[in-house]
Amino acid sequence: ALLLTAVALIVFAGRFVGPIQRLTLATVATEKASDFTAIPIETNDEVGVLTASFNRMLSALSEHQLHLEEKVMERTRDLAEAKQEVSDILDNMAQAIFTINEAGKVNREFSAYTRELFGDVEIAGTSVLDLLQLNPSRNKEDYSRMSFWLGNITGADELQWMMSEDEGI
């Protein structure tokens, strides 16, 4: 009986445990879907069905990954084109146009005329109040009014925005 049990365990191990171990090793080895290599189906039982299912799943994942990479490259191209179009528009305007962030600092993108108007100063990252040469020592009232207005338009609620919309430059 002991010998029969040992033989049954060896057959069971060879039939089920071996294929499951190979499936597990293949799963661990497949870090990315593009690394996928189909696992040979050795049996027609549940383990074979599981292996076939695993192969189909990784094949589909590999295909989705490929399409996703293509989509990302396409979107990146579209974004670069749109950015270039905006830069072209900004660079061909005879107006100083720039945006500011919530901290009141000038963002990286601005019109070419902005550089012409303000000269050879660092524009991106500069406080808009400094760029406009508003400081409390020269004109406290203008500085205070502009500082208040900027504080309201960058992060305030709608009521504050409406109350200060006539206070700008």
Side-chain angles (χ1 to χ4, degrees):
L2 189 54
L3 185 60
L4 190 57
T5 304
V7 169
L9 283 175
I10 291 172
V11 169
F12 176 77
R15 192 140 206 253
F16 294 103
V17 176
I20 290 176
Q21 283 178 333
R22 284 189 289 281
L23 187 60
T24 302
L25 289 173
T27 304
V28 170
T30 306
E31 289 184 17
K32 297 186 292 186
S34 60
D35 296 341
F36 168 64
T37 304
I39 303 166
I41 300 170
E42 300 171 357
T43 60
N44 290 329
D45 57 7
E46 291 83 2
V47 176
V49 170
L50 180 62
T51 303
S53 227
F54 180 79
N55 285 339
R56 282 192 307 276
M57 177 192 69
L58 277 182
S59 177
L61 228 90
S62 181
E63 189 175 322
H64 286 300
Q65 181 181 8
L66 177 66
H67 292 306
L68 181 61
E69 289 172 1
E70 290 170 356
K71 199 71 131 167
V72 167
M73 288 189 323
E74 179 183 325
R75 294 284 190 245
T76 302
R77 268 191 316 272
D78 292 348
L79 182 60
E81 288 174 9
K83 184 178 178 188
Q84 185 59 51
E85 288 173 7
V86 170
S87 289
D88 290 345
I89 291 170
L90 287 174
D91 289 344
N92 288 298
M93 297 179 85
Q95 294 180 357
I97 297 177
F98 54 86
T99 58
I100 59 172
N101 60 26
E102 287 187 15
K105 305 232 184 243
V106 178
N107 291 320
R108 292 182 310 183
E109 300 294 329
F110 49 85
S111 66
Y113 192 76
T114 303
R115 169 98 39 226
E116 190 176 320
L117 181 67
F118 291 106
D120 197 27
V121 298
E122 186 63 36
I123 295 174
T126 300
S127 161
V128 71
L129 295 173
D130 291 341
L131 186 65
L132 298 174
Q133 298 178 355
L134 291 173
N135 66 47
S137 63
R138 289 177 65 193
N139 190 332
K140 189 172 185 166
E141 184 180 322
D142 286 347
Y143 178 84
S144 179
R145 194 178 82 224
M146 189 63 148
S147 181
F148 175 77
W149 181 75
L150 284 170
N152 280 337
I153 65 167
T154 56
D157 62 30
E158 189 174 341
L159 178 61
Q160 289 172 308
W161 168 260
M162 288 172 29
M163 287 174 49
S164 63
E165 68 183 334
D166 293 330
E167 296 294 323
I169 299 175

